[in-house]
Amino acid sequence: MHNDKIQQIAQMSLYNPQTLQCNGETFKVYLTRQELQDRVSELGEELTGQYKGKDPIFIGVLNGAYIFLSDLMRRVEIPCEVDFIKLSSYGDEKVSSGEVTDLKDIDADIEGRHVILVEDIVDTGLSMKYLVDKLQKKKPASIATVTLLHKAEATHYDVQLDYVGFKIPTLFVLGYGLDFAQEGRNLAQIYILDKE
Ligand code: IMP
């Protein structure tokens, strides 16, 4: 099959509605597939330049970061590894519970390794701060933090963000790995409530 045709089919098969209903609420597009793709490519290029010769290990925060991480890693053109960590989530609400609990630790030994910690979104900063402190105890050579989205005005924990995809207002977002009561992760774009 011709390459253009394959490309077209791949695009068409993505879940890309302009608006959608999720758990009884209407959502509209906020960041398009193209905007996400372009920014993820830029971040991948930056990381490629920064981590040459360092064999970094990406640590993705489950569940939300899995789609961003898989796109990001495929834009990183140096040898690297991946592992995952999981914290308790938002619950089924649109506001943070303010509590963090461990659900799954990493399996890899990161002592002396260069770690790239990948989050989908930093809201209050509690999860990222908790994770950096937790991983720091395992004595890595370095830890860099990457987040696709940063609700900068909502962040009140002291956390260093080294790579940020998009700084966004304090809005509830959905899609591209981010959920609302576990739904919507498979959306290829990022959505906000229609009434915003
Ligand atoms: P923080 O600990 O307050 O920074 O919240 C981080 C976590 O809350 C993220 O990893 C997400 O799982 C979740 N979260 C924060 N904001 C949103 C949102 O707008 N939509 C979906 N999940 C969110």
Side-chain angles (χ1 to χ4, degrees):
M1 203 185 301
H2 192 271
N3 264 352
D4 287 351
K5 189 75 187 162
I6 295 172
Q7 183 82 21
Q8 226 181 348
I9 291 170
Q11 291 295 339
M12 278 162 47
S13 65
L14 290 174
Y15 182 27
N16 266 334
Q18 279 308 302
T19 60
L20 75 131
Q21 296 289 318
C22 182
N23 290 308
E25 309 243 28
T26 307
F27 286 83
K28 64 183 176 193
V29 179
Y30 182 65
L31 290 169
T32 64
R33 178 77 193 128
Q34 191 64 50
E35 287 169 320
L36 290 167
Q37 245 170 12
D38 290 349
R39 189 68 188 115
V40 172
S41 304
E42 284 172 6
L43 290 172
E45 257 177 59
E46 257 186 85
L47 290 168
T48 301
Q50 294 290 320
Y51 283 88
K52 262 199 186 103
K54 291 189 171 171
D55 294 348
I57 176 161
F58 284 83
I59 297 182
V61 186
L62 294 173
N63 293 334
Y66 79 110
I67 289 185
F68 170 47
L69 176 61
S70 74
D71 280 350
L72 181 65
M73 272 191 80
R74 283 175 292 173
R75 298 290 183 172
V76 171
E77 299 177 32
I78 49 167
C80 57
E81 294 176 30
V82 70
D83 201 347
F84 294 93
I85 196 161
K86 186 170 182 174
L87 297 179
S88 59
S89 74
Y90 246 35
D92 288 350
E93 303 302 322
K94 293 203 289 300
V95 288
S96 175
S97 65
E99 280 172 35
V100 185
T101 345
D102 291 296
L103 291 180
K104 180 211 172 298
D105 202 352
I106 51 169
D107 297 311
D109 177 4
I110 57 165
E111 188 171 341
R113 302 286 311 272
H114 294 282
V115 168
I116 303 172
L117 181 59
V118 182
E119 261 282 25
D120 51 353
I121 187 162
V122 171
D123 183 358
T124 64
L126 173 65
S127 311
M128 194 62 120
K129 181 166 174 32
Y130 177 85
L131 287 167
V132 171
D133 291 348
K134 182 182 165 79
L135 295 177
Q136 211 60 272
K137 295 193 183 110
K138 298 177 190 274
K139 301 192 174 71
S142 68
I143 302 183
T145 54
V146 183
T147 186
L148 176 67
L149 305 172
H150 182 206
K151 292 184 189 173
E153 283 146 27
T155 306
H156 54 85
Y157 285 88
D158 181 20
V159 63
Q160 185 181 322
L161 302 177
D162 300 298
Y163 302 89
V164 174
F166 301 90
K167 206 169 121 177
I168 62 166
T170 310
L171 297 173
F172 183 77
V173 287
L174 174 74
Y176 197 63
L178 290 136
D179 72 306
F180 176 18
Q182 297 307 323
E183 275 185 37
R185 295 192 197 276
N186 54 329
L187 291 158
Q189 310 186 101
I190 301 252
Y191 294 78
I192 55 171
L193 284 169
D194 191 34
K195 57 188 182 223
E196 298 288 358

